[in-house]
Amino acid sequence: MLAERVVAIDVGGTRIKAGLVDRELRDVRTVVRSTARADGVVPVGQISELIDELAADRAVLAVGVAVPGVVAGGVVRLAVNLGWREHPVAALLGARTSLPLRVGHDVRAGGLAEFTAGAGRGAADALFVAIGTGIAAAVRGGGVDLVGGGFAGELGHLVVEPDGIPCSCGGRGCLETVAAAPAIARAYAARTGIAADARAVARLVAAGDADACLVWERAVRGLATGLAAAVAVAAPEVIVLGGGLAEAGDVLVAPVRAELHRRLGFLRLPAVVGARFGAQAGR
């Protein structure tokens, strides 16, 4: 039975979530670490140390590592939030472990979990949207996952405010500058002078704080704008909201659903639901 466990790691711009997982997708052990940086670049060594820690003295079958950005063939072409460009992550990690290892896109991994065993199970046409340090989507159409050479699903870089602030991708007014967790925290601090992360802002929204509600409403409008474009192109029957910010539950899901449905007119109205696996879907 022990040999049916795998090490699963989700590398984020803020946190690395790692775990030892059994065949029933149950966590045997979970480790969460702040993402380290050296001159703005996330070191692969931190990931390999987590692999060693979780695999120590245990019969582990394999390792799966999910990373953000544009990922193809185990190479991260670009991950702005990690400081990686043309980074051969699979080769670098493979040289440090004897275990079979796969590197894939974090949001497509989360989408796979939700489409096969989670909130999007059974839907032939579905969208999984991870909202955290960045925003991206996994797209399924006719039961087939769209990869686009590693470039598909970059919903966070769809422009929702044409005259908005610059984005780290080089664009301006991208969805990530409006509705990603750091953007919400920045907007709240700019409005109030008070430092609070996005989770704290969500709690303030639930409590009826006027400033937090205004910041949240802008994020909801941005998400609805981006999702409306996705619905017009892909016509999903269900949209699953995941990632760290979606842990706010109906504080986020309910207003996004209402604003999105208000915009869609004659288009198919998708169900909008929270992820079954929450922020852990990518693992």
Side-chain angles (χ1 to χ4, degrees), residues 202 216 241 244-255 274:
W216 202 256
L241 301 183
L245 197 61
E247 292 181 346
D250 259 358
V251 172
L252 179 72
V253 175

Side-chain angles (χ1 to χ4, degrees), residues 18-119:
L20 193 63
V21 183
D22 68 16
R23 66 178 294 113
E24 304 301 325
L25 303 182
R26 295 175 301 207
D27 284 327
V28 177
R29 184 184 174 198
T30 301
V31 178
V32 179
R33 299 272 164 76
S34 295
T35 305
R37 292 182 186 275
D39 296 323
V41 177
V42 174
V44 168
Q46 184 182 23
I47 303 169
S48 65
E49 288 169 6
L50 280 169
I51 293 171
D52 292 342
E53 179 180 339
L54 288 165
D57 301 321
R58 300 176 188 271
V60 173
L61 183 64
V63 179
V65 180
V67 298
V70 178
V71 185
V75 176
V76 179
R77 302 297 182 191
L78 179 65
V80 174
N81 292 329
L82 304 183
W84 291 349
R85 184 184 293 271
E86 298 299 333
H87 210 40
V89 177
L92 292 171
L93 289 175
R96 299 177 183 225
T97 180
S98 59
L99 292 167
L101 179 140
R102 290 285 299 273
V103 173
H105 188 261
D106 57 352
V107 177
R108 283 193 285 277
L112 179 62
E114 294 294 340
F115 298 156
T116 57

Side-chain angles (χ1 to χ4, degrees), residues 165-183:
I165 66 173
C167 178
S168 58
C169 73
R172 181 178 288 274
C174 295
L175 179 56
E176 283 192 5
T177 70
V178 174

Side-chain angles (χ1 to χ4, degrees), residues 131-135 175-186 198 219 223 245:
I131 311 166
T133 305
I135 299 175
L175 179 56
E176 283 192 5
T177 70
V178 174
I184 289 172
R186 285 195 301 270
L223 283 165
L245 197 61

Side-chain angles (χ1 to χ4, degrees), residues 142-254:
V144 177
D145 295 333
L146 179 64
V147 177
F151 288 88
E154 289 295 336
L155 185 69
H157 298 289
L158 189 152
V159 175
V160 297
E161 292 185 350
D163 298 320
I165 66 173
C167 178
S168 58
C169 73
R172 181 178 288 274
C174 295
L175 179 56
E176 283 192 5
T177 70
V178 174
I184 289 172
R186 285 195 301 270
Y188 185 76
R191 186 173 186 85
T192 66
I194 299 171
D197 64 18
R199 287 184 174 86
V201 174
R203 291 192 293 270
L204 289 167
V205 171
D209 179 89
D211 290 309
C213 286
L214 287 171
V215 169
W216 202 256
E217 287 165 7
R218 175 175 174 249
V220 166
R221 287 194 302 272
L223 283 165
T225 299
L227 291 175
V231 170
V233 172
E237 55 194 291
V238 61
I239 296 174
V240 181
L241 301 183
L245 197 61
E247 292 181 346
D250 259 358
V251 172
L252 179 72
V253 175

